[in-house]
Amino acid sequence: MAASTASFAQLFRLQSPLRAGCRSLHMLAGEPQGPVVKTEIPGPRSKELLGELSSIQQSGSVQLFADYERSLGNYLVDADGNCMLDVYTQISSMPLGYNHPDLLRVLDNPYNVKTMVNRPALGVFPGQDWPKRLNKILTQVAPPGLTQLTTMMCGSCSNENAYKNMFMRYRRQQRGEDVGFTKEEMESCMINQAPGSPNLSILSFQGAFHGRTMGVLSTTHSKAIHKLDVPAFDWPIARFPVYKYPLEENERENAEEDKRCLAMVDDLFEQWKKKGCDVAGITVEPIQAEGGDNPGSPAFFQGLQRIAHKHGAALLIDEVQTGGGPTGKFWCHEHFDLPTAPDVVTFSKKMLMGGYFHKPDLTPNLPYRVFNTWMGDPGKLLLLQEVLKVVRRDELLSVVRAAGDVLYKGLRSLEKEFPNLLSATRGRGTFLAVDAPSGKVRDDLVARLRAKGVQSGGCGEQSIRLRPALIFQEQHAHIFLDIFRQVLKETN
Amino acid sequence: MAASTASFAQLFRLQSPLRAGCRSLHMLAGEPQGPVVKTEIPGPRSKELLGELSSIQQSGSVQLFADYERSLGNYLVDADGNCMLDVYTQISSMPLGYNHPDLLRVLDNPYNVKTMVNRPALGVFPGQDWPKRLNKILTQVAPPGLTQLTTMMCGSCSNENAYKNMFMRYRRQQRGEDVGFTKEEMESCMINQAPGSPNLSILSFQGAFHGRTMGVLSTTHSKAIHKLDVPAFDWPIARFPVYKYPLEENERENAEEDKRCLAMVDDLFEQWKKKGCDVAGITVEPIQAEGGDNPGSPAFFQGLQRIAHKHGAALLIDEVQTGGGPTGKFWCHEHFDLPTAPDVVTFSKKMLMGGYFHKPDLTPNLPYRVFNTWMGDPGKLLLLQEVLKVVRRDELLSVVRAAGDVLYKGLRSLEKEFPNLLSATRGRGTFLAVDAPSGKVRDDLVARLRAKGVQSGGCGEQSIRLRPALIFQEQHAHIFLDIFRQVLKETN
């Protein structure tokens, strides 16, 4: 088998060569040829608007105010008329960039307008088109082996509810397939006590980000500011692999790191079992995003799946940020060559709505156990269906791989040119990051990029992350790399 | 003062008489004159669709599949062509019923279409129209005294995040206004331990429903099926007043019940403080909905506010189901004559998006403490703005009061006619409920209503709840009452 003889680094980086003759995608009609900066960013108009907003809410995270009427494709136009190449795309949530003509046309259709206006309680009164729409999504993009789909609203509530499915599955295993709830369970859960509200846990990783509501926040460990002052569940936290770069020069050490982390996971299962708080599931990002764009190797994820199944726990892969194509495959975990599908795959962001695919043994045995008023949003599914049509028609996964290849090689070359400023280029597809020597330098580089009309983002302590749209092409990669090189030269 | 001499029952029920000469609202053009039932409900087409959906997900809660293209105003049309008077309106989430012409017109505007398609990360790159839009909402409908607005996506995440604001406020009080985080707090929160992840609690009530993600689920105590198998925080739970009906005949007993419940709340504050798990906030619905449409009196809520403030805790009024007009005032807590505004008011459902109004001392001192990718949805705000315009233009709060008056009197009269089947009519505006003698009889009545073309809903153990749209008028109330009377006669 080719896979078994491939090196760690080969397996780790994207292997599939670009398909010869891949249809070249033209830029969106009217898309700018490059950034145009007219004022400092944020400019005077953005600053004025920030004053207004600050009187209503905490607005310290606002970077600028955008003009969404004039933004187009990969270019974000701000309130001061600055036109920026956007390689961050609303924290990775705009699959087709701004004002994609196919998406704008969705609402030309009066039927679709009615779908936007009549939002049902999907768990009780779904529209007659709903089963067909879900089936279409399932057959188009469900990870193989995951036949069940629960729709939600955002990443946090997708993970929260998927954790509930994992707890229910684990308790069903414990009590036996067809055993009902006891009176004691029914009564104790109403006052938040075991056995009805059981002592069970979800294992997560240092540096992980799974959202900010209180269940998933207990599995988020990326930055203190997300967690301070909020009560948390005492659940096990394992080390996530910290690799040495470049990967191809550090294969042995990185494989050792995988083993150390996996041993810790296995050990935590035993420790928490001894405490009377069994681990019902593992939650893990394929590439830790918010925590610093830390990737895990295929061997690491294969090991996690083995350990989860050994202990009767479920493996949840959180593809909220990686899902929908940016790694060059529709789901990042498809790079991992797992023996069987993960038990749950959660999504949001580029999928425009939240939700999760899962195996049938994660499906609640009774109605109303995983439920809420809206259970998703058909208006978002309409847009998602159009996105998926464009992804297929325009072969956007190939576009991502081609642009990602240019970006990756370009960043590696900049690393060599500016070894005191850049290191550890990593990622898959266009889902890429590179490290600065410190948080201060990183923030400075991001600010200088913006001053030259490139909107990027930070993550972790000192990383710059790239999260362009799926319509980001090789020519956009060259524009980004040219400007980044200017910034690095001026910083050096 | 008039208020102090008014009786308990007077204060409790809606007082304001209908304004003489209130503009009569015409039915929506083309709205059916009454229900038309063609098949059993669910009919053959709905059953076929249920088979399809069940292969993808747990669908036991689905009642029927709807035809949202043909539904109009107060009438829901299903996949089999049955046309039902809808007094449940998607679990109370359709303020203007189906296909309201003003809402359909919102998407005629290309600017609005772009708003639907370009969904930003509002915490980082809001559109230039965002501060003005939020300000408009604030000035139109914010509860007096609540100058701050945080937008979210749904009721659960609104409550989850509002709890976080309450925890942060409480910790700031403890550590002092301008004192930063300690190293120990920064480090301990990353592993879910105190003091960074503090031992603090939210006090909630028996029968409460505040959502289903793990933080708010720890404050939900309406039905076991919502909670079984999901870990919960050990937080204090007080008794919610259980009144005797009719209220005007049981004033003394009900006032005593208020006092008992308030004493328990006060006591729980002390108990949890002794346990080292201070109560940072109280969360409470103005009328417990899912838990059985249990109202609390103005005196009860005034007492809660007093106790919360005595202990330095915040009072959150969860108006997810009551907010937006159905009680005849825009916010139900406006009926309570509170000395000062509640600290937080959360909303969703009829507001079409989630969020909360709050006092400035609940605003996080630093960015990214309450944050997520989307922080709401400008596409929903567009629709909400139109809803508010229609509510004002068509004086829908008056419509609610008039229709509610007919409904309430009609239900009281049916109670007298069928004392073995109905009791305890209660509520405000059209937000009304009545009890059946058992869950079995309740389910039977709801099913028989549906068979005659009226979609209602159950709540609690044995209650029928009415949640019509704000465009539900007196003539619709008469149609409902006539059919309900037929059902009761046939059941008797």
Side-chain angles (χ1 to χ4, degrees):
Chain A
M1 277 166 63
S4 61
T5 57
S7 74
F8 181 95
Q10 276 178 317
L11 272 173
F12 198 80
R13 276 281 306 155
L14 174 69
Q15 294 170 79
S16 39
L18 280 174
R19 197 153 58 71
C22 159
R23 183 163 89 78
S24 138
L25 179 77
H26 297 292
M27 282 196 296
L28 292 184
E31 198 188 33
Q33 299 295 312
V36 180
V37 176
K38 297 178 172 172
T39 71
E40 57 174 1
I41 304 172
R45 180 73 185 128
S46 271
K47 284 179 182 162
E48 191 186 325
L49 291 165
L50 187 62
E52 271 184 57
L53 191 62
S54 300
S55 70
I56 302 172
Q57 56 189 214
Q58 167 56 258
S59 307
S61 54
V62 170
Q63 295 191 16
L64 54 82
F65 287 80
D67 181 344
Y68 290 112
E69 207 178 2
R70 293 172 61 207
S71 300
L72 186 66
N74 293 282
Y75 289 87
L76 176 68
V77 177
D78 77 3
D80 291 278
N82 299 296
C83 174
M84 283 165 282
L85 179 65
D86 190 355
V87 296
Y88 191 46
T89 56
Q90 312 295 327
I91 322 179
S92 202
S93 67
M94 299 290 287
L96 303 183
Y98 301 102
N99 286 312
H100 194 285
D102 290 280
L103 285 182
L104 291 175
R105 271 196 295 271
V106 167
L107 293 172
D108 287 349
N109 178 336
Y111 182 86
N112 292 348
V113 169
K114 288 191 170 182
T115 300
M116 290 280 173
V117 163
N118 299 301
R119 183 181 190 183
L122 285 166
V124 195
F125 309 102
Q128 53 187 346
D129 55 359
W130 191 240
K132 197 163 267 73
R133 285 189 192 278
L134 289 190
N135 252 318
K136 214 164 176 180
I137 301 293
L138 271 175
T139 52
Q140 281 184 347
V141 297
L146 302 189
T147 59
Q148 304 285 296
L149 172 56
T150 303
T151 52
M152 286 284 156
M153 318 254 305
C154 69
S156 282
C157 72
S158 301
N159 283 326
E160 283 273 346
N161 281 284
Y163 290 5
K164 289 166 62 174
N165 290 62
M166 296 200 290
F167 288 127
M168 290 170 194
R169 171 184 172 278
Y170 195 83
R171 287 290 296 137
R172 198 171 65 233
Q173 277 176 188
Q174 288 185 319
R175 66 165 73 90
E177 196 58 47
D178 290 319
V179 179
F181 305 117
T182 64
K183 185 159 175 287
E184 196 191 356
E185 285 175 321
M186 302 277 286
E187 288 172 3
S188 58
C189 78
M190 295 294 271
I191 51 168
N192 297 5
Q193 303 296 319
S197 304
N199 291 317
L200 289 176
S201 61
I202 300 290
L203 183 142
S204 58
F205 291 91
Q206 293 165 15
F209 184 92
H210 299 287
R212 293 160 175 272
T213 48
M214 277 178 253
V216 295
L217 189 62
S218 296
T219 61
T220 285
H221 317 282
S222 41
K223 287 169 194 155
I225 197 71
H226 305 153
K227 292 175 69 78
L228 280 156
D229 295 349
V230 184
F233 290 107
D234 183 18
W235 290 348
I237 309 159
R239 177 179 167 91
F240 192 83
V242 178
Y243 296 130
K244 289 197 177 126
Y245 296 88
L247 294 171
E248 60 271 25
E249 293 169 21
N250 297 281
E251 294 187 14
R252 202 180 45 79
E253 295 90 325
N254 291 339
E256 287 301 316
E257 172 69 356
D258 278 347
K259 279 184 198 149
R260 270 192 301 274
C261 293
L262 290 170
M264 187 175 179
V265 170
D266 201 27
D267 188 51
L268 286 169
F269 265 90
E270 298 295 347
Q271 280 183 40
W272 251 253
K273 187 182 269 299
K274 272 184 205 142
K275 282 202 209 184
C277 185
D278 287 15
V279 176
I282 297 174
T283 184
V284 65
E285 296 154 277
I287 301 173
Q288 285 189 336
E290 179 68 22
D293 268 37
N294 311 311
S297 73
F300 175 68
F301 286 97
Q302 291 159 16
L304 280 186
Q305 187 171 58
R306 228 170 17 241
I307 295 169
H309 292 179
K310 181 177 107 181
H311 293 282
L315 175 64
L316 179 154
I317 308 250
D318 176 345
E319 296 245 22
V320 166
Q321 190 151 167
T322 49
T327 69
K329 291 184 186 271
F330 200 85
W331 302 106
C332 185
H333 76 267
E334 294 179 69
H335 293 282
F336 298 159
D337 203 16
L338 294 173
T340 65
D343 298 288
V344 196
V345 173
T346 57
F347 59 81
S348 187
K349 288 194 182 259
K350 281 197 172 56
M351 296 289 278
L352 305 183
M353 59 174 209
Y356 47 107
F357 297 102
H358 56 95
K359 290 185 175 167
D361 68 340
L362 270 285
T363 306
N365 62 333
L366 291 170
Y368 294 110
R369 301 195 72 187
V370 168
F371 185 88
N372 55 51
T373 298
W374 283 317
M375 293 295 289
D377 185 347
K380 302 298 180 201
L381 192 57
L382 272 186
L383 296 174
L384 173 60
Q385 280 191 287
E386 193 66 17
V387 166
L388 297 179
K389 196 194 83 187
V390 173
V391 167
R392 214 169 38 246
R393 182 194 68 198
D394 294 347
E395 301 180 38
L396 292 185
L397 295 185
S398 296
V399 170
V400 166
R401 288 194 291 266
D405 211 48
V406 172
L407 272 180
Y408 181 82
K409 286 180 183 145
L411 287 171
R412 287 296 298 272
S413 149
L414 290 173
E415 254 191 72
K416 291 200 179 85
E417 193 176 346
F418 305 96
N420 56 329
L421 287 175
L422 295 184
S423 64
T425 297
R426 61 200 180 273
R428 299 175 182 280
T430 56
F431 195 105
L432 296 170
V434 64
D435 280 357
S438 71
K440 197 170 162 301
V441 175
R442 185 269 312 275
D443 293 347
D444 183 54
L445 292 174
V446 168
R448 284 168 183 260
L449 276 167
R450 189 162 56 215
K452 288 195 189 298
V454 172
Q455 178 67 51
S456 64
C459 63
E461 292 297 321
Q462 59 201 67
S463 306
I464 298 171
R465 60 175 152 175
L466 304 185
R467 296 290 186 276
L470 306 178
I471 57 162
F472 182 89
Q473 297 168 260
E474 295 173 59
Q475 68 266 29
H476 301 108
H478 289 300
I479 294 171
F480 166 76
L481 290 166
D482 286 349
I483 294 175
F484 197 21
R485 189 162 178 273
Q486 286 173 44
V487 163
L488 292 163
K489 277 181 82 168
E490 288 168 20
T491 309
N492 218 4
Chain B
M1 277 165 60
S4 62
T5 58
S7 75
F8 182 95
Q10 277 177 317
L11 271 174
F12 197 79
R13 274 283 304 156
L14 172 70
Q15 295 169 80
S16 40
L18 279 174
R19 195 154 59 72
C22 159
R23 182 164 88 78
S24 139
L25 179 77
H26 297 293
M27 281 197 295
L28 291 185
E31 198 189 35
Q33 298 296 313
V36 180
V37 177
K38 296 178 173 173
T39 70
E40 56 173 3
I41 303 173
R45 180 74 185 127
S46 271
K47 284 180 182 161
E48 191 186 325
L49 291 164
L50 188 61
E52 269 184 58
L53 191 62
S54 300
S55 70
I56 301 170
Q57 55 188 215
Q58 167 57 259
S59 307
S61 54
V62 170
Q63 295 191 16
L64 54 82
F65 287 80
D67 182 343
Y68 289 112
E69 209 178 1
R70 293 172 61 207
S71 300
L72 186 66
N74 293 284
Y75 288 88
L76 175 68
V77 176
D78 77 2
D80 292 279
N82 299 297
C83 174
M84 283 165 283
L85 179 65
D86 191 356
V87 295
Y88 192 46
T89 56
Q90 312 297 327
I91 322 179
S92 201
S93 65
M94 300 289 288
L96 303 184
Y98 302 100
N99 287 311
H100 195 284
D102 290 279
L103 285 182
L104 292 175
R105 272 196 294 271
V106 168
L107 293 171
D108 286 349
N109 177 336
Y111 182 86
N112 292 349
V113 169
K114 287 190 171 183
T115 300
M116 291 281 174
V117 163
N118 298 302
R119 183 181 189 183
L122 286 166
V124 196
F125 310 102
Q128 54 186 346
D129 55 359
W130 191 240
K132 198 163 267 73
R133 286 188 191 279
L134 290 191
N135 253 317
K136 215 164 176 178
I137 300 293
L138 270 175
T139 52
Q140 281 185 346
V141 297
L146 302 190
T147 60
Q148 303 284 294
L149 172 56
T150 304
T151 52
M152 285 283 157
M153 318 253 305
C154 68
S156 283
C157 73
S158 301
N159 283 327
E160 283 271 348
N161 281 285
Y163 291 5
K164 289 166 63 174
N165 291 62
M166 295 200 290
F167 289 127
M168 290 170 195
R169 171 185 173 279
Y170 195 83
R171 287 291 294 136
R172 198 171 65 233
Q173 277 176 188
Q174 287 185 320
R175 67 164 74 88
E177 196 59 46
D178 290 320
V179 178
F181 307 116
T182 65
K183 187 161 175 285
E184 195 191 357
E185 285 176 320
M186 302 278 284
E187 288 173 1
S188 57
C189 78
M190 295 294 271
I191 51 169
N192 298 5
Q193 303 296 317
S197 304
N199 291 318
L200 290 176
S201 60
I202 300 291
L203 183 142
S204 58
F205 291 90
Q206 294 166 14
F209 185 92
H210 299 288
R212 293 161 175 271
T213 48
M214 277 178 253
V216 295
L217 189 62
S218 297
T219 61
T220 285
H221 317 282
S222 42
K223 288 170 193 155
I225 197 71
H226 304 154
K227 293 176 68 80
L228 281 157
D229 295 350
V230 184
F233 291 106
D234 183 19
W235 289 348
I237 308 158
R239 177 178 167 92
F240 192 83
V242 178
Y243 295 130
K244 289 198 177 128
Y245 296 88
L247 294 171
E248 60 270 27
E249 294 169 21
N250 296 280
E251 294 187 13
R252 201 180 46 80
E253 294 90 325
N254 291 338
E256 286 302 316
E257 172 69 355
D258 279 347
K259 279 184 198 150
R260 269 192 301 275
C261 293
L262 290 170
M264 185 174 181
V265 169
D266 201 27
D267 188 51
L268 285 170
F269 266 91
E270 298 294 348
Q271 279 183 39
W272 250 253
K273 188 182 269 297
K274 272 185 206 141
K275 282 202 207 184
C277 185
D278 286 16
V279 175
I282 296 175
T283 184
V284 65
E285 297 153 276
I287 301 174
Q288 287 191 335
E290 179 68 22
D293 268 37
N294 310 311
S297 74
F300 175 68
F301 286 96
Q302 290 160 15
L304 279 187
Q305 186 171 59
R306 226 167 21 241
I307 294 169
H309 292 179
K310 180 177 106 181
H311 294 280
L315 175 64
L316 179 154
I317 308 247
D318 175 347
E319 296 245 24
V320 167
Q321 190 151 167
T322 49
T327 70
K329 292 186 186 269
F330 199 85
W331 303 106
C332 185
H333 76 267
E334 293 178 71
H335 293 281
F336 299 159
D337 203 17
L338 293 172
T340 65
D343 299 287
V344 196
V345 173
T346 57
F347 59 80
S348 187
K349 289 191 181 263
K350 280 197 172 57
M351 297 288 278
L352 304 184
M353 59 173 209
Y356 46 107
F357 297 101
H358 57 96
K359 290 186 175 167
D361 68 340
L362 269 285
T363 306
N365 62 334
L366 290 170
Y368 294 110
R369 301 194 74 187
V370 168
F371 184 87
N372 56 51
T373 298
W374 284 316
M375 293 296 289
D377 185 348
K380 302 298 180 202
L381 192 58
L382 272 187
L383 296 174
L384 173 61
Q385 280 191 285
E386 193 66 18
V387 166
L388 297 179
K389 196 193 81 188
V390 174
V391 167
R392 213 171 38 247
R393 182 195 68 199
D394 294 346
E395 301 179 40
L396 291 185
L397 295 185
S398 297
V399 171
V400 165
R401 289 195 289 265
D405 211 47
V406 172
L407 272 181
Y408 182 83
K409 285 179 182 145
L411 286 171
R412 287 297 297 273
S413 147
L414 289 174
E415 254 192 73
K416 290 200 180 85
E417 191 177 347
F418 303 97
N420 56 331
L421 287 175
L422 295 185
S423 64
T425 297
R426 61 200 180 274
R428 297 177 183 279
T430 56
F431 196 106
L432 296 170
V434 63
D435 280 357
S438 71
K440 199 171 161 300
V441 174
R442 185 268 314 273
D443 292 348
D444 183 54
L445 291 174
V446 168
R448 281 167 185 262
L449 276 167
R450 188 161 58 218
K452 288 196 190 297
V454 172
Q455 179 67 51
S456 64
C459 64
E461 292 296 321
Q462 59 201 66
S463 306
I464 298 172
R465 61 174 152 176
L466 304 186
R467 296 291 186 275
L470 306 178
I471 57 162
F472 182 91
Q473 297 168 260
E474 296 174 59
Q475 68 267 30
H476 301 108
H478 289 301
I479 294 171
F480 167 77
L481 290 166
D482 287 349
I483 295 176
F484 197 20
R485 187 161 180 275
Q486 285 172 45
V487 163
L488 292 163
K489 278 181 81 167
E490 288 169 20
T491 309
N492 218 4

